[in-house]
Amino acid sequence: MHDLHTFGWYASRISKHLPKNAFKPVPTRLLGGLAYLIVTITSILAISLFQLPLMINLILSFILGLCFAGLGFLGHEILHGAVVKKPWLRNLLGGIAFWPLCTGPQLWRKWHNMNHHVHTQNDEKDPDSWPTLEKISKMKFVNWVYRLPFIVRSTAAFLSLTIQFSLHSLKCFKMYLGDFKPKTKPKVWLQAILPWATWIALLFLIGTEKWIFAYLIPLFIANLIVMSYISTNHRLNPITPVNDPLANSLTVTVPKWIDVLHFNFSYHTEHHLFPTMSPKYYPLVKKQIKRMWPERYHEMPMGKALIALWKTPRVYFEQNQLVDPHGEKIFGSLGNGLDPDEVKPKKIPIETKTNESDNKSI
């Protein structure tokens, strides 16, 4: 592995090569959100008010899922301050954008901005990092899961992408609620309850069958889309003692039209270097990274990244490797043996094992 540097080290060297307006908010990004909001409201009204054929309802559910995910990507951008700067407006717009995913703006900023970004791939402090072999040896349920055949675990993991964001949001609410000041907690609770209250009220208003098409199926689709990105952002990268985005983050490539729909969310390494910058300018950042540190930069097509996820386990061993306790195999991480072109992780028999008590628990 190369010498590690903080995101500020890289950012200070890249900044001088970027235009000054790249560091300003871009309010026009809200036009995309307005389009998503109009389509969302129109589709929900159509499902609610008319007796539509099953196929039309399914098509509208798919469209709603795309809109929910797109709004979530914009909400992420808004809450980083890349669209508007005024805190009250940022929280209002971010809360609206995250409404379908039922995640409050203050929880998101605490969980994502203040913890994930500051402590990326720190196995103790990053709420989004995956566990180490040592940690899972103390987790009974996870130990049981890792006794299942690898193909069963991989299949279940990919199916769970349809609910992972929603479940993780609830977990982070429980995890961080106690960190908020007493005067702020009621607001955090309100931001958590109102979206769910809205969708549950819709259930009673239009009935179960229509609600499934208007919200439940779209929520599954949105979770799948959002988690397809989030799962590739860092899960193929090593745990790093220094928050080095070129070591611990991955940029995926998708067709240009998808980048337009998803607000350039694919540029994830760039985002970790400049989290408050509008993703509109991330192609310029990418160009500079590839010019200065081409050997350190990690990118691959989204499809290849998902295939690599399918083939590799999600437990870390000695920080820079991924271990399959069931098969006693070690796979490389990006920059440490995982080939991003072939997506054929090198399998190495585990030579350094944990102590006997750990082995028994695994």
Side-chain angles (χ1 to χ4, degrees), residues 270-343:
E270 295 78 3
H271 173 60
H272 272 259
L273 289 177
F274 295 97
T276 61
M277 177 184 288
S278 171
K280 173 183 177 180
Y281 298 104
Y282 286 161
L284 299 179
V285 176
K286 179 175 184 175
K287 181 179 179 181
Q288 294 303 323
I289 298 173
K290 297 184 79 169
R291 181 179 67 84
M292 297 180 186
W293 308 284
E295 74 286 354
R296 298 189 183 191
Y297 183 66
H298 297 301
E299 69 171 330
M300 70 173 83
M302 171 70 90
K304 284 189 176 182
L306 290 171
I307 290 171
L309 280 174
W310 176 274
K311 292 182 176 181
T312 54
R314 302 272 65 79
V315 177
Y316 283 99
F317 179 69
E318 295 184 350
Q319 294 193 329
N320 59 12
Q321 295 171 316
L322 298 163
V323 65
D324 177 12
H326 178 78
E328 294 195 336
K329 299 290 184 180
I330 292 178
F331 299 69
S333 59
L334 288 176
N336 300 277
L338 179 63
D339 190 328
D341 294 318
E342 295 183 1
V343 197

Side-chain angles (χ1 to χ4, degrees), residues 137-163:
S137 69
K138 303 170 184 176
M139 303 163 67
K140 291 183 179 180
F141 175 74
V142 179
N143 281 328
W144 175 80
V145 169
Y146 270 89
R147 292 180 186 275
L148 299 173
F150 186 80
I151 185 66
V152 175
R153 282 182 274 135
S154 293
T155 303
F158 267 70
L159 290 174
S160 73
L161 293 180
T162 58
I163 58 173

Side-chain angles (χ1 to χ4, degrees), residues 32-333:
L34 179 61
Y36 275 130
L37 199 58
I38 291 171
V39 174
T40 295
I41 293 172
T42 302
S43 298
I44 290 175
L45 286 174
I47 292 171
S48 303
L49 299 176
F50 303 106
Q51 296 299 324
L52 300 172
L54 174 63
M55 187 55 63
I56 299 299
N57 277 332
L58 286 173
I59 291 172
L60 289 176
S61 288
F62 180 73
I63 291 172
L64 280 167
L66 296 179
C67 290
F68 288 4
L71 285 168
F73 293 136
L74 179 61
H76 165 258
E77 188 174 325
I78 291 170
L79 292 174
H80 270 294
V83 179
V84 294
K85 284 297 184 185
K86 291 183 178 180
W88 71 268
L89 185 59
R90 177 197 64 207
N91 286 341
L92 174 63
L93 296 174
I96 292 171
F98 267 116
W99 205 272
L101 295 174
C102 296
T103 300
Q106 289 191 265
L107 171 64
W108 177 258
R109 285 173 57 79
K110 174 66 176 177
W111 148 27
H112 181 77
N113 297 19
M114 299 171 63
N115 285 277
H116 170 63
H117 269 271
V118 175
H119 306 293
T120 308
Q121 285 297 84
N122 181 304
D123 62 322
E124 296 292 338
K125 298 179 180 179
D126 182 1
D128 299 342
S129 70
W130 280 73
T132 60
L133 184 60
E134 181 182 1
K135 277 188 176 181
I136 73 159
S137 69
K138 303 170 184 176
M139 303 163 67
K140 291 183 179 180
F141 175 74
V142 179
N143 281 328
W144 175 80
V145 169
Y146 270 89
R147 292 180 186 275
L148 299 173
F150 186 80
I151 185 66
V152 175
R153 282 182 274 135
S154 293
T155 303
F158 267 70
L159 290 174
S160 73
L161 293 180
T162 58
I163 58 173
Q164 270 190 30
F165 185 87
S166 295
L167 291 180
H168 192 54
S169 180
L170 292 172
K171 176 185 175 182
C172 286
F173 177 80
K174 180 180 178 182
M175 184 188 308
Y176 292 118
L177 181 62
D179 292 348
F180 289 99
K181 295 179 180 180
K183 66 178 181 179
T184 307
K185 280 186 182 179
K187 188 184 297 184
V188 177
W189 270 105
L190 190 64
Q191 291 174 358
I193 292 171
L194 279 180
W196 283 112
T198 302
W199 300 116
I200 292 172
L202 181 67
L203 167 63
F204 287 101
L205 187 63
I206 67 176
T208 303
E209 183 178 344
K210 290 187 174 183
W211 185 81
I212 289 173
F213 292 110
Y215 184 66
L216 189 61
I217 294 175
L219 182 63
F220 289 153
I221 293 170
N223 266 265
L224 178 62
I225 294 170
V226 170
M227 288 307 304
S228 292
Y229 280 103
I230 292 176
S231 62
T232 57
N233 289 163
H234 307 286
R235 295 181 187 178
L236 294 171
N237 298 81
I239 290 174
T240 53
V242 175
N243 187 0
D244 184 328
L246 268 64
N248 62 28
S249 301
L250 170 68
T251 286
V252 294
T253 55
V254 296
K256 181 62 180 176
W257 64 272
I258 292 181
D259 267 335
V260 172
L261 291 177
H262 295 166
F263 298 94
N264 278 359
F265 195 80
S266 63
Y267 291 83
H268 204 70
T269 300
E270 295 78 3
H271 173 60
H272 272 259
L273 289 177
F274 295 97
T276 61
M277 177 184 288
S278 171
K280 173 183 177 180
Y281 298 104
Y282 286 161
L284 299 179
V285 176
K286 179 175 184 175
K287 181 179 179 181
Q288 294 303 323
I289 298 173
K290 297 184 79 169
R291 181 179 67 84
M292 297 180 186
W293 308 284
E295 74 286 354
R296 298 189 183 191
Y297 183 66
H298 297 301
E299 69 171 330
M300 70 173 83
M302 171 70 90
K304 284 189 176 182
L306 290 171
I307 290 171
L309 280 174
W310 176 274
K311 292 182 176 181
T312 54
R314 302 272 65 79
V315 177
Y316 283 99
F317 179 69
E318 295 184 350
Q319 294 193 329
N320 59 12
Q321 295 171 316
L322 298 163
V323 65
D324 177 12
H326 178 78
E328 294 195 336
K329 299 290 184 180
I330 292 178
F331 299 69
S333 59

